[in-house]
Amino acid sequence: NDFLDDGEVVLTFDDGPLRRYTVPVLEALDAHCTKATFFMVGRMAVADPDLVRETAARGHTVGSHTWSHRNQRTLNGTLSRGEMELAISAISKAAGQPTAPFFRFPYLADSRAATAHLKARDHGIFSIDIDSRDFRTKTPADVQRVILNRLSQQRKGILLFHDIQPSTSGALRKLLGELKKRGFKVVH
């Protein structure tokens, strides 16, 4: 669904939380009074439930991203459902409250059965419009350049970052300032 107006972006972060990089991401978002959606991996949430609660307490949306980040297309239906259900349960328990009914497939690799399962659970499935490619570089400037170049062409979109990457934690504060300067509005 195309629900964004020209100049609007949605910030999303996958694969965390990982304290070393998630905390600077949260601080950058706070510095710009900006909210985002975090698609957390269940085993990562269990490893740092305090950070899951902190993320939610700061007003960010917490969704799920499977238990162990396995490619759902490579799993049979039972294993795939187990990955999704365990993640939803673990992240909600870590958060101390139910999380948003939002899900993102690792590698954006959905399957018909997994999609049907999430639909039956009334979970929204999030895709992306622009990938920061932050996992391919350790340089914050590369992340900023990729996002700004793509936005200069598309003018809107759901942006994908990973809050386990040093390049993202290093880029975000400056990137948010540049987005504002260029007239982009972050919507949540």
Side-chain angles (χ1 to χ4, degrees):
N1 295 327
D2 188 9
F3 59 90
L4 296 172
D5 290 332
D6 187 61
E8 291 184 336
V9 295
V10 176
L11 303 178
T12 66
F13 297 87
D14 286 7
D15 297 355
L18 185 59
R19 185 166 291 277
R20 181 175 180 186
Y21 302 117
T22 303
V23 169
V25 166
L26 293 172
E27 290 170 351
L29 293 167
D30 284 352
H32 286 273
C33 299
T34 302
K35 302 302 179 204
T37 301
F38 289 79
F39 292 98
M40 295 184 177
V41 173
R43 64 182 175 83
M44 301 292 279
V46 168
D48 196 344
D50 291 339
L51 189 51
V52 176
R53 286 189 294 279
E54 181 181 341
T55 301
R58 290 185 189 212
H60 302 290
T61 300
V62 175
S64 59
H65 194 52
T66 72
W67 167 253
S68 67
H69 203 271
R70 289 178 70 185
N71 184 328
Q72 298 301 288
R73 285 188 190 151
T74 66
L75 304 178
N76 69 37
T78 302
L79 287 174
S80 177
R81 282 189 302 279
E83 278 275 326
M84 290 184 281
E85 291 300 323
L86 189 54
I88 293 165
S89 175
I91 297 164
S92 293
K93 182 173 171 94
Q97 63 188 16
T99 57
F102 298 163
F103 184 88
R104 178 175 284 147
F105 285 98
Y107 314 103
L108 304 174
D110 59 344
S111 72
R112 219 176 310 180
T115 299
H117 178 72
L118 291 167
K119 184 177 179 181
R121 281 186 120 267
D122 289 328
H123 268 60
I125 299 169
F126 277 66
S127 191
I128 67 166
D129 296 305
I130 298 174
D131 185 346
S132 68
R133 301 279 189 199
D134 55 359
F135 58 92
R136 292 188 176 196
T137 182
K138 296 208 181 305
T139 308
D142 290 346
V143 172
Q144 183 172 329
R145 186 174 52 257
V146 167
I147 292 295
L148 294 174
N149 286 344
R150 291 290 309 277
L151 281 174
S152 71
Q153 299 163 7
Q154 288 183 226
R155 295 292 309 151
K156 63 180 177 178
I158 299 172
L159 311 182
L160 169 63
F161 301 94
H162 298 85
D163 61 315
I164 62 167
Q165 296 297 332
S167 55
T168 288
S169 68
L172 195 59
R173 190 177 297 251
K174 193 171 181 181
L175 175 61
L176 289 171
E178 191 61 31
L179 288 173
K180 184 176 182 178
K181 181 176 156 186
R182 295 182 185 203
F184 288 97
K185 178 183 177 187
V186 178
V187 296
H188 181 232

